[in-house]
Amino acid sequence: MLEDGRALEIVGISAFDERIYRGVLACPGITVQELVMRSGESAGRIQSSLTRLRCKGLVSRLWGRSPGWTATNPGTAIRSLVRGMQSELDRLTDTADELETAFRNVGTDPEGSGQFEVLAGPEEQARWYVRLQQEAKEEVLTFDRPPYVLDYHNPLQTDLLRSGVRYRTIYVPEAFDHTGALDEVGSLIRAGEEARILPSLPFKMALVDRRRAVMPLHMDPPLTRGVLIRGSTMVVALVELFERLWREALPVRPELWSSGSSWPDPGQEEEPAADLGLEDRRLLALLAAGLKDDAIARQLGTSPRSLRRRLRHLLDELNAETRFQAGAQASRRGLV
């Protein structure tokens, strides 16, 4: 049961949910507590997974003193999901035909005003994301949050920054869950990216030259459907939303977001109030950005236990009882 499952992702079953499903399939009548013991996951997460699997028709609950779970007939359940997916694809095709008819009836101008194109599959979405960046002349605006279409890396960005294309990116804390994320962002900032962070974003998108946008049509992994928007009022609205959230977002200070020892601290001489070391200031910046303890420990290369000890020491140094108070004190001192 602990092996990663991927086979059912095509019908909307995540790898984790497939693991739980295989565990139930192998042991009819298994309880949540037994699944917890076998998987090492929390009871809440497993219960949520079972609820999703039940909605998909893959498992059913057995009532009794210790309620258990059993799998339904896999062939019947999975074929039903496939038929449902085919119905969705048929509806999507009908919608595409309707939009194409409307597009032809209205006509287009040289800028492609009012044009929408449905992108089927992650490869098509990734292809357009690459193409739009390659065609960018002035600016790329991005909402960066998981899940990712293919990969979180953007190999084009550094070269485009150096060629004069401006990148402004708003991140969410979950975008830094993967190992080495701080160094990646630090490298992009050194190349010229302007980065800010918010606790959450409504969706992910990329806007190029304020004329074209690409974004997924849903945020449930895998990202199977997206849309390309050209020169419509929707693009104008997306630009306005980006600018409003940009003003609200927390700026990312490069010297606090790189774990590399080769970076100097440009604020040391200009900020006499910065009486904490660079590592402590980096920790405060990550806390203020909303990263969880495990993610911070992973980025700083330490254990969660060591991180909590360091955080307790920081709270004492800042004369703060809570993280919020520590953030307020650090902000007043110009540390983050």
Side-chain angles (χ1 to χ4, degrees), residues 8-290:
L8 299 182
E9 281 188 339
I10 194 170
V11 290
I13 307 297
S14 70
F16 177 77
D17 286 354
E18 182 174 344
R19 287 173 53 208
I20 300 303
Y21 173 64
R22 289 181 181 272
V24 175
L25 185 66
C27 300
I30 194 169
T31 65
V32 171
Q33 290 73 24
E34 290 171 329
L35 286 167
V36 169
M37 293 177 61
R38 295 185 181 206
S39 67
E41 301 290 345
S42 68
R45 191 179 183 197
I46 288 177
Q47 187 64 58
S48 297
S49 175
L50 290 169
T51 299
R52 291 191 294 270
L53 292 170
R54 187 181 186 184
C55 291
K56 294 280 189 180
L58 290 171
V59 300
S60 59
R61 188 175 182 181
L62 302 176
W63 296 97
R65 181 172 298 178
S66 297
W69 292 83
T70 187
T72 58
N73 185 300
T76 301
I78 293 173
R79 289 188 184 94
S80 177
L81 291 175
V82 171
R83 287 194 297 271
M85 174 179 286
Q86 186 59 54
S87 297
E88 280 194 44
L89 292 174
D90 291 341
R91 286 196 296 271
L92 179 60
T93 300
D94 293 341
T95 300
D97 291 340
E98 293 173 6
L99 291 173
E100 184 177 12
T101 300
F103 167 71
R104 289 175 176 173
N105 289 338
V106 172
T108 59
D109 58 31
E111 296 297 319
S113 178
Q115 201 168 7
F116 294 79
E117 180 178 339
V118 175
L119 307 178
E123 291 79 9
E124 184 71 0
Q125 295 176 68
R127 184 178 71 82
W128 269 105
Y129 179 51
V130 169
R131 176 177 170 180
L132 290 185
Q133 290 183 92
Q134 290 173 333
E135 296 176 354
K137 294 180 174 60
E138 297 177 0
E139 183 178 50
V140 178
L141 311 177
T142 305
F143 285 167
D144 189 312
R145 54 157 289 184
Y148 296 96
V149 174
L150 294 177
D151 194 0
Y152 51 80
H153 295 289
N154 183 4
L156 297 175
Q157 184 170 340
T158 299
D159 289 340
L160 288 169
L161 282 164
R162 289 170 179 163
S163 71
V165 176
R166 184 187 187 191
Y167 273 79
R168 286 192 289 157
T169 304
I170 302 177
Y171 295 94
V172 296
E174 292 77 14
F176 304 101
D177 280 349
H178 57 277
T179 302
L182 296 188
D183 290 332
E184 290 177 19
V185 173
S187 176
L188 291 174
I189 292 175
R190 280 184 290 174
E193 179 186 80
E194 300 168 56
R196 297 190 178 187
I197 190 166
L198 280 175
S200 63
L201 287 169
F203 46 80
K204 61 192 292 112
M205 70 170 183
L207 278 161
V208 175
D209 292 340
R210 302 183 176 234
R211 293 175 49 230
R212 293 185 292 178
V214 62
M215 58 191 297
L217 285 173
H218 61 85
M219 292 305 299
D220 298 322
L223 301 179
T224 55
R225 291 175 292 175
V227 63
L228 173 68
I229 311 171
R230 298 184 182 93
S232 72
T233 54
M234 179 65 74
V235 173
V236 176
L238 291 173
V239 171
E240 290 296 325
L241 175 63
F242 180 91
E243 295 294 356
R244 180 173 65 83
L245 294 180
W246 180 261
R247 290 191 292 270
E248 297 175 2
L250 175 71
V252 175
R253 296 178 60 181
E255 72 272 17
L256 302 183
W257 281 75
S258 170
S259 60
S261 59
S262 61
W263 278 33
D265 179 3
Q268 280 185 329
E269 296 182 358
E270 299 176 6
E271 296 179 357
D275 48 358
L276 297 179
L278 180 58
E279 289 301 318
D280 288 337
R281 294 167 59 201
R282 182 175 295 128
L283 171 55
L284 287 171
L286 296 175
L287 287 172

